[in-house]
Amino acid sequence: MKSWTDLSMIDMPPRVAALPRDVRGYPIPYTIQRDATGKPDFRIVDPQKAKRAVQARCCGICGEMLGARIAFVGGPLAMANRLFTDLPMHRDCAIYALRTCPFIAAPKFAYSRAFPADTVVSDNVSTDRPDQFGLGITKTFSVVLLNGEPVLRAGEFESIEWWRHGKREAHAAA
């Protein structure tokens, strides 16, 4: 049986399939930072690419222009407050992330909380993994300040789906 890290088991949206790949063949999201050698660090968002994506209303995964409806992914607190440090996405890009991102989809995945020395980590970002993630659909977002740092405030959600361990839940968050 193949493990969850075998991305061939998961439908890949065409926009994600068009992204460059790392040495393992994993797609590299548009906003992921690369080191001096070009190697991606999937834990770190490139602040310049993120800023451009927000200003141009582009997807944080594929980098393409967003449509009328956009998706935000976050834990229960982010969903309730509609405040996000992660960029908006196309719904299909967000679902792919919910199914493949180790932080979201793999509860036993051990990740390093140590970042390169020159990396700035916002106080508004938690490295604690929620048990459940929401996928909220909205038409709008704005940039607001939280603790003096810019974050994204999603508009009212038209719908919210709940996901746990890479699978959509049949019921709402507890």
Side-chain angles (χ1 to χ4, degrees), residues 82-138:
R82 297 190 337 268
L83 295 173
F84 299 87
T85 54
D86 288 330
L87 298 180
M89 297 162 264
H90 296 104
R91 185 177 185 277
D92 60 339
C93 292
I95 289 173
Y96 186 77
L98 283 160
R99 296 184 73 202
T100 62
C101 172
F103 184 80
I104 297 171
K108 295 184 189 296
F109 176 76
Y111 63 98
S112 173
R113 293 179 189 217
F115 293 97
D118 59 345
T119 303
V120 176
V121 179
S122 169
D123 290 336
N124 295 321
V125 176
S126 173
T127 56
D128 294 332
R129 183 182 326 189
D131 189 46
Q132 217 175 16
F133 289 86
L135 167 65
I137 303 297
T138 184

Side-chain angles (χ1 to χ4, degrees), residues 34-41:
R34 295 174 185 248
D35 67 16
T37 68
K39 181 181 176 187
D41 187 334

Side-chain angles (χ1 to χ4, degrees), residues 15-51:
R15 288 184 278 251
V16 174
L19 290 169
R21 306 294 177 103
D22 73 359
V23 296
R24 300 166 298 179
Y26 290 9
I28 304 168
Y30 168 73
T31 56
I32 293 303
Q33 187 161 310
R34 295 174 185 248
D35 67 16
T37 68
K39 181 181 176 187
D41 187 334
F42 289 87
R43 302 166 302 159
I44 304 173
V45 172
D46 181 316
Q48 296 307 316
K49 286 184 178 179
K51 184 177 178 181

